[in-house]
Amino acid sequence: MKKKILLPTDFSRNAWNAIQYAIELYKNEVCDFYVLNAFNATGYALESMMVPEPGEKIYEEAKEKSEKGLGRILERLTFRDDNPNHKFFMVSQFNSLLDAIKDLVDKEDIQMIIMGTKGATGARDVVFGSNTVMVMEKSRNCPVMAIPEEASYKDLKEIVFPTDYRMNFKRRELQDIIEAAKMSTAAIRVLYASDGDPLDDEQENNKKLLSESFNGLPHTFHIVSNVDPQSAVRCFVESRESDMITFFNRRHSFFGSIFSKPMVKSLGRYAKVPVLALHDLRN
C-alpha cells in the first residue's frame, strides 16, 4: 500500500537532512513525498488585516523565492533518488507552517510528517525548534517524526518506546510503531521509569495488551528505577545506542508534556536519534 509522507522545508540544512533520512527510511516502500514550503511576505503577519494578495509585488517575490527553492530541492532529488517507487510533489503555499501542514494532511490524507528539529536560524543551544514543537503539539491527527541535525540514516536496530502503562493502547494506535519496526526489522524496547512501587492491576493489564500487540515482533520490557522519565530515556538510549525514540504525546499525562522546554532540553541535547511523536486518537 502506497505511503504519503509530508516533508516540510524552510530550505535549511537540517530540513534537507530530514528529507534524506525519510527517503532512506522508506527506501523499500512505495511512497508519494510532498515537499512543503509555507511562505509569507516579510513584514506582514498572516493574521493582519493587510495580508498581501496574489499579484502584489511583495507576495509575488515571496512566492518566487519559495518556488525557486523547491525547484532546487527537486533537482537535487532527481539526481539523488532514482527509486522507481518514489514520487515527489513540490508544494508552495502562502500560509503559516502549521496551517499549511494541516491543510495538506487533510487534502492528501498524509500518513506521516517528517521534519528537522531546527530551522534556518538553528541556534546551537536550541535542540527542538519552536516550529517542530508546535507541529508535534498541534498536528494531532498525524504522527510527526523529528530528525536531529546530526542524525544520518542507518538501518534501525532498536526503537525505544517509553510508557507509564497508564494508557489502554489499541492496536491501530500502535500501527506506526509496528510499521517502523517491520520496515527495518528493528526490536522494540518498552521502557518504564519506575518510582519503586510495583505495577498496579491496570498497568499490568496494559503491559499485557502491549505485548499482545507486538506479538511476532522482537520486543522486550525494561525498567529504570528512581530516575525521572526524561533522564531514564536519555540514559537508556545513550547506553544502548538505540536508533529511535517513539512515544504517545498525550495531553495531561506522565509523558504528555515531554515537549515542554525542560523536557526538550533534557531529552534532545543528548539524544542524536529521531523522535517519533504519536497522538492518542481519543483526545
Side-chain angles (χ1 to χ4, degrees), residues 114-131:
I114 300 179
M115 62 191 299
T117 55
K118 291 196 287 190
T121 53
R124 283 187 178 275
D125 60 339
V126 176
V127 181
F128 286 85
S130 57
N131 280 337

Side-chain angles (χ1 to χ4, degrees), residues 24-257:
E24 287 298 321
L25 179 63
Y26 288 95
K27 61 181 178 244
N28 297 320
E29 306 291 320
V30 178
C31 289
D32 285 349
F33 292 101
Y34 293 81
V35 183
L36 168 69
N37 176 248
F39 71 93
N40 52 49
T42 304
Y44 285 85
L46 283 174
E47 61 272 14
S48 167
M49 297 296 290
M50 299 177 61
V51 174
E53 298 287 339
E56 293 183 28
K57 182 180 178 182
I58 192 168
Y59 176 98
E60 295 301 331
E61 286 177 348
K63 180 182 178 184
E64 182 182 11
K65 182 179 178 181
S66 173
E67 290 177 344
K68 281 186 175 180
L70 289 172
R72 287 191 291 270
I73 287 178
L74 182 58
E75 188 176 346
R76 293 174 78 180
L77 289 170
T78 301
F79 285 105
R80 190 196 179 288
D81 188 18
D82 57 359
N83 190 329
N85 291 325
H86 289 177
K87 290 183 180 179
F88 296 94
F89 301 89
M90 303 294 116
V91 182
S92 175
Q93 188 175 126
F94 180 77
N95 214 336
S96 69
L97 176 63
L98 182 61
D99 287 341
I101 286 174
K102 286 182 174 180
D103 179 64
L104 210 56
V105 166
D106 184 51
K107 282 182 179 176
E108 301 296 343
D109 192 23
I110 298 295
Q111 293 148 289
M112 178 73 71
I113 300 165
I114 300 179
M115 62 191 299
T117 55
K118 291 196 287 190
T121 53
R124 283 187 178 275
D125 60 339
V126 176
V127 181
F128 286 85
S130 57
N131 280 337
T132 309
V133 175
M134 176 183 63
V135 173
M136 284 183 154
E137 288 291 341
K138 303 294 185 183
S139 181
R140 301 199 65 83
N141 59 342
C142 188
V144 181
M145 186 182 297
I147 311 299
E149 192 171 25
E150 297 178 34
S152 56
Y153 181 81
K154 58 180 179 178
D155 287 337
L156 304 180
K157 298 292 190 296
E158 186 166 283
I159 300 172
V160 177
F161 177 33
T163 178
D164 58 4
Y165 296 125
R166 289 295 177 194
M167 181 174 171
N168 186 343
F169 295 103
K170 306 299 183 187
R171 187 175 176 85
R172 64 192 174 91
E173 293 172 324
L174 297 166
Q175 201 55 43
D176 291 296
I177 304 174
I178 292 169
E179 286 188 4
K182 283 182 175 178
M183 277 195 299
S184 52
T185 64
I188 299 171
R189 309 301 184 197
V190 183
L191 179 64
Y192 173 59
S194 170
D195 58 4
D197 293 332
L199 298 180
D200 59 29
D201 290 344
E202 177 196 23
Q203 289 174 305
E204 287 286 5
N205 185 60
N206 289 335
K207 181 179 178 180
K208 181 182 176 184
L209 289 173
L210 264 184
S211 187
E212 291 173 356
S213 295
F214 294 149
N215 185 38
L217 295 172
H219 66 280
T220 52
F221 293 88
H222 303 263
I223 297 176
V224 177
S225 298
N226 301 314
V227 180
D228 62 271
Q230 61 267 49
S231 297
V233 174
R234 174 175 57 81
C235 293
F236 190 85
V237 169
E238 280 187 337
S239 64
R240 299 175 62 92
E241 297 186 349
S242 307
D243 304 299
M244 182 178 287
I245 301 166
T246 182
F247 61 89
F248 280 84
N249 190 21
R250 287 182 288 151
R251 293 168 179 161
H252 315 302
S253 75
F254 196 49
F255 280 94
S257 61

